[in-house]
Amino acid sequence: MVTARAPATSANLGSGFDTFGVALSHPADTVSVERAAETTIEVSGAGAQYIPTDPDKNVVGAVAEALDAPAHIHIDKGVRPSSGLGSSAASAAAAAVALNELYDRGYSAHDLVPVAAEGEAVVSGEAHADNVAPSLLGGFTVVRSDDGATSVDADLPLVACLPEVVVSTRDARRVVPDTLSMADHVETVGNAATLTAGMCRSDPELVGRGMDDPVVTPARAELITGYADVREAALAAGATGVTVSGAGPSVLAVPEPGCRRAVAAAMVEAFADAGVGARAYQTEVGRGATVL
Ligand SMILES: Nc1ncnc2c1ncn2[C@@H]1O[C@H](COP(=O)(O)OP(=O)(O)OP(=O)(O)O)[C@@H](O)[C@H]1O
Ligand SMILES: N[C@@H](CCO)C(=O)O
């Protein structure tokens, strides 16, 4: 048996819609695999009751198929599904790493990005790599449709606050505007470049400033009860930037050094004031998937 762990991730980071992603040190999914004639799936942990065990409907089934690596696969969910924290991507990345090892395929983490993205296609209809890339490679990642993923390590504290709100990825994509003005384009490019420089320098001030996004985040914020107050509370408690994590409903904040606990508490309290239960992960930029 081979067991692998792959971390939760936060895609977009505001200015990098469908492009940027970051690995969180926790939470994570753990996937164990054993050789079998046909793929079977078992799921335990956070939100297991909402996750299909049919290999045609679970992301790990598509990964096993892509690697021609049938197995009995046990997924222990640490990342709640539909959280905005790359739940399906964590399973896909862990399965890709575990099956690669089990069948001695010899692929690198970069080689496994399109493989795990095939798993994501089971959920969204498209082979998005903006969550699987950071889950496999760790750190901060940039994906482009035609040439894989680029990654850079960063040393940065983060808070991911997960509210008890349901946001469907379908709705979250439907509200994204089809077009943007040249002024918004210029602002977004400036923010994205600032964020990238901040990640390369592990500079929370630059990263937070670069998370601003005039196009996608304002539209999606409407779907998350209490978002505006949570954002204000996090900034007042010492966050340098706040945005919607992935398609939501989680909210991601970058705290100034020494402020992580206060930012987490302020976000949970602001959600509570809006009548929404929430939990906050005090985390940081983390490593990619590993065999345990
Ligand atoms: N192994 C799996 N783990 C989690 N969800 C899975 C898995 N396989 C299939 N799914 C389905 O995927 C959907 C949730 O996945 P999704 O990646 O969209 O969650 P998310 O954490 O909100 O991601 P994002 O950060 O991309 O917004 C659910 O409908 C769930 O049933
Ligand atoms: N980039 C994707 C991530 C969620 O799958 C989105 O924001 O819709």
Side-chain angles (χ1 to χ4, degrees):
M1 183 169 77
V2 175
T3 301
R5 173 194 189 274
T9 50
S10 183
N12 303 332
L13 299 166
S15 56
F17 178 62
D18 278 354
T19 304
F20 290 169
V22 69
L24 311 184
S25 63
H26 70 276
D29 278 10
T30 305
V31 170
S32 299
V33 294
E34 285 175 280
R35 282 187 189 239
E38 282 185 5
T39 294
T40 53
I41 297 167
E42 206 185 338
V43 188
S44 59
Q49 66 274 31
Y50 304 115
I51 299 175
T53 53
D54 178 345
D56 290 335
K57 297 193 175 131
N58 193 305
V59 294
V60 303
V63 172
E65 173 104 21
L67 287 171
D68 188 20
H72 176 65
I73 304 175
H74 178 221
I75 307 169
D76 189 23
K77 295 297 298 178
V79 190
R80 200 195 77 182
S82 302
S83 58
L85 296 174
S87 176
S88 54
S91 287
V97 166
L99 292 167
N100 184 46
E101 178 82 8
L102 182 72
Y103 277 85
D104 203 16
R105 294 282 185 256
Y107 291 124
S108 70
H110 276 277
D111 294 336
L112 292 174
V113 170
V115 172
E118 282 303 315
E120 288 287 77
V122 168
V123 172
S124 65
E126 286 174 67
H128 275 303
D130 55 351
N131 285 109
V132 293
S135 195
L136 281 162
L137 304 174
F140 167 67
T141 57
V142 181
V143 296
R144 285 166 34 115
S145 54
D146 53 353
D147 65 0
T150 305
S151 66
V152 60
D153 288 338
D155 179 12
L156 209 66
L158 298 168
V159 175
C161 189
L162 171 57
E164 289 163 12
V165 173
V166 175
V167 174
S168 88
T169 301
R170 197 176 294 261
D171 286 346
R173 292 195 78 83
R174 196 182 304 129
V175 300
V176 174
D178 290 332
T179 58
L180 79 171
S181 67
M182 183 52 76
D184 282 346
H185 171 69
V186 170
E187 186 181 335
T188 303
V189 170
N191 290 342
T194 300
L195 188 150
T196 304
M199 286 291 184
C200 293
R201 294 186 195 169
S202 294
D203 179 335
E205 196 63 49
L206 282 181
V207 172
R209 222 187 305 150
M211 279 162 70
D212 283 345
D213 153 42
V215 181
V216 179
T217 309
R220 287 183 162 181
E222 303 289 321
L223 304 175
I224 303 170
T225 308
Y227 177 84
D229 292 339
V230 170
R231 182 171 191 277
E232 284 312 310
L235 292 171
T240 61
V242 181
T243 192
V244 175
S245 179
S250 285
V251 181
L252 183 76
V254 179
E256 291 275 17
C259 294
R260 185 167 58 181
R261 183 187 294 262
V263 168
M267 294 172 85
V268 170
E269 193 179 326
F271 267 126
D273 289 346
V276 177
R279 69 171 293 183
Y281 295 98
Q282 294 182 48
T283 184
E284 62 212 342
V285 177
R287 299 174 53 204
T290 46
V291 172
L292 297 177

